[in-house]
Amino acid sequence: MTEENMVTAFTKNRRVWICVLMSGALFLTMTCLSIAGSYYNTMQSVRLSIANQSMKTAAAAASRIDVASYEQFLQHPVKENPAYERLTSQLSQVREQFGVLYLYLLQINPDGSGGKVMVAAHPPDSGIQFQIGDPCYVNAEQIAKIRAGETYYSDIIRDPHYGVYMSAGAPLLGKDGRLAGIVGVDTDMAMVEGIGKDVVRNSVPVFVFHGLFVVVLIVLILGLSRWYQREIRVAVGETEEHYQDELRSVISSIRSIRHDFVNHMQVLYGLIECGYFDKARDYIQSLLKETKLLDLTVRIANPALMVLFHTKWEQAKSKQIVMQFAECPDPFEGIPSIDLVKIMSNLIDNAIDAAEMADGEKRIRIACRREDKQYVFEVENTGAEISPEQRAHIFTVGYTTKPATRSNARGAGLPIVQAVVSKHNGSIEIVSEHGMTRFTVILPAK
């Protein structure tokens, strides 16, 4: 491997690895974002569900509070007040019934800046003791909702003393319908932290699956890339081989034309030197007629077919075969030139072989045209007919109706034509009768 090829291979490999690393980084980023999104959505759903339930619990508790005892307690807010014992017992029963962490009655500060705990119920094993008048944070927005007769809820609160909880509140109305206080509910949110961990833990299999999917996808892409490059190399090799053959034919044709030109000039010079001016004029007219005929045959819109037809015309002429062309104004852009050359070169070669062996007229007719949404290519020749038995095997590799020679293998041309036609979802029609054989290839126009 040359130094230039080594540099090119290194550059390609580096680009491939850069693409792989970028794909991996993108995969990790998208997976992390997906897990974060799942975690956030799950936590939000759980939080809103618990918040709604807590507000309903606060409203239900407010409807069960003995408002008369609470108003009586507020007149003398001490633990020795019998109303305090009744309210504490009542709050404990409601707390156990609804399974909340803390249930308490708040009194709003006169300045509306917060509130204070008047009566509270808590789990017996919590070790927490509420004192009458302990401050409780209630913001201005929550107080506004209470005064408007609505319930409220807070964000998740993480307190080193009271734990992880969410607060909700509902207005407590007195006998006269005026606001007497707030019924507060604290719901334990420690389980929500466990739900978040479960979400992350359950996302690990998804992460692994996505990782395996990306690995398989990368391997598949690399495999397809190598397969495509291999197919491109094969196609380029075939194309180069065909065009080299045609180029050699063109060079041979140019040499033949040059040789003929010298001969024609010598004949004309001899006729003029001998004074046979009429014969020289007739000779020139015949040359012009032949030149005009050749000019008509090369009026082909597709450059590849133009070169191919010119070389095949020269080849047929050397074997005393008359080759006639219909003008082909369509460029046949829907079919790759290499496929057109494969089809027409093999059909014309077979036609030349058959016409050369004909006992009578040696003639080939070629036509290429577009009909609506399809391309039609016809190659017709005189010579031996193809029997129905032969048609059943004519596209088999190695089968031929002509005798094999040491220089050329037989039976390879028509299978190539059939392979190209099948690739383009086309068809081949064969008519062989009365000393004439015609191959018609029909391809869809894209």
Side-chain angles (χ1 to χ4, degrees), residues 1 3 8 35 88 103 145 208 214 223 239 249 269 306 325 339 341 398-399:
M1 180 180 293
E3 182 178 355
T8 302
I35 294 175
T88 301
L103 182 62
K145 287 186 175 182
V208 174
V214 170
T239 303
S249 298
Y269 180 76
M306 181 185 67
F325 295 92
D339 290 342
V341 171
Y399 180 83

Side-chain angles (χ1 to χ4, degrees), residues 299-315:
R299 290 179 182 175
I300 310 299
N302 187 282
L305 290 182
M306 181 185 67
V307 174
L308 175 67
F309 291 168
H310 177 78
T311 56
K312 297 306 179 185
W313 183 85
E314 290 287 343
Q315 183 180 351

Side-chain angles (χ1 to χ4, degrees), residues 393-399 410-412 415:
H393 305 283
I394 200 170
F395 294 108
T396 303
V397 177
Y399 180 83
R410 295 289 187 175

Side-chain angles (χ1 to χ4, degrees), residues 247-308:
L247 182 59
R248 284 191 289 267
S249 298
V250 170
I251 294 173
S252 176
S253 176
I254 292 174
R255 290 175 178 173
S256 176
I257 292 173
R258 179 181 177 277
H259 182 267
D260 290 343
F261 176 78
V262 173
N263 291 334
H264 293 320
M265 289 300 100
Q266 290 176 349
V267 171
L268 285 173
Y269 180 76
L271 292 174
I272 293 173
E273 280 290 320
C274 295
Y276 299 117
F277 300 110
D278 292 339
K279 292 186 179 295
R281 183 171 56 252
D282 293 340
Y283 193 84
I284 291 174
Q285 287 178 351
S286 65
L287 289 177
L288 291 175
K289 182 178 180 181
E290 184 175 334
T291 304
K292 184 178 180 181
L293 177 62
L294 179 60
D295 180 63
L296 286 175
T297 61
V298 297
R299 290 179 182 175
I300 310 299
N302 187 282
L305 290 182
M306 181 185 67
V307 174
L308 175 67

Side-chain angles (χ1 to χ4, degrees), residues 372-409:
D372 295 331
K373 296 182 179 180
Q374 62 185 18
Y375 297 131
V376 180
F377 304 92
E378 292 181 348
V379 177
E380 183 181 271
N381 64 269
T382 59
E385 300 173 7
I386 302 175
S387 66
E389 293 78 9
Q390 291 174 328
R391 294 181 203 177
H393 305 283
I394 200 170
F395 294 108
T396 303
V397 177
Y399 180 83
T400 179
T401 60
K402 299 180 288 292
T405 63
R406 294 183 179 180
S407 58
N408 293 321

Side-chain angles (χ1 to χ4, degrees), residues 294-436:
L294 179 60
D295 180 63
L296 286 175
T297 61
V298 297
R299 290 179 182 175
I300 310 299
N302 187 282
L305 290 182
M306 181 185 67
V307 174
L308 175 67
F309 291 168
H310 177 78
T311 56
K312 297 306 179 185
W313 183 85
E314 290 287 343
Q315 183 180 351
K317 178 186 173 184
S318 66
K319 298 181 178 182
Q320 290 77 46
I321 300 173
V322 177
M323 185 173 287
Q324 300 171 340
F325 295 92
E327 292 191 21
C328 303
D330 197 283
F332 306 109
E333 295 178 347
I335 306 296
S337 295
I338 180 62
D339 290 342
L340 291 177
V341 171
K342 285 181 180 179
I343 292 173
M344 298 305 295
S345 64
N346 285 290
L347 291 180
I348 295 175
D349 286 342
N350 284 352
I352 291 175
D353 291 341
E356 185 180 8
M357 301 297 294
D359 295 332
E361 180 185 17
K362 303 178 187 296
R363 181 173 57 85
I364 296 174
R365 186 185 65 85
I366 298 172
C368 306
R369 62 185 179 273
R370 177 169 182 162
E371 295 180 354
D372 295 331
K373 296 182 179 180
Q374 62 185 18
Y375 297 131
V376 180
F377 304 92
E378 292 181 348
V379 177
E380 183 181 271
N381 64 269
T382 59
E385 300 173 7
I386 302 175
S387 66
E389 293 78 9
Q390 291 174 328
R391 294 181 203 177
H393 305 283
I394 200 170
F395 294 108
T396 303
V397 177
Y399 180 83
T400 179
T401 60
K402 299 180 288 292
T405 63
R406 294 183 179 180
S407 58
N408 293 321
R410 295 289 187 175
L414 289 179
I416 293 176
V417 174
Q418 186 184 46
V420 176
V421 172
S422 299
K423 183 178 74 172
H424 293 279
N425 298 318
S427 62
I428 305 176
E429 299 176 359
I430 304 174
V431 176
S432 186
E433 57 187 7
H434 308 302
M436 186 71 67

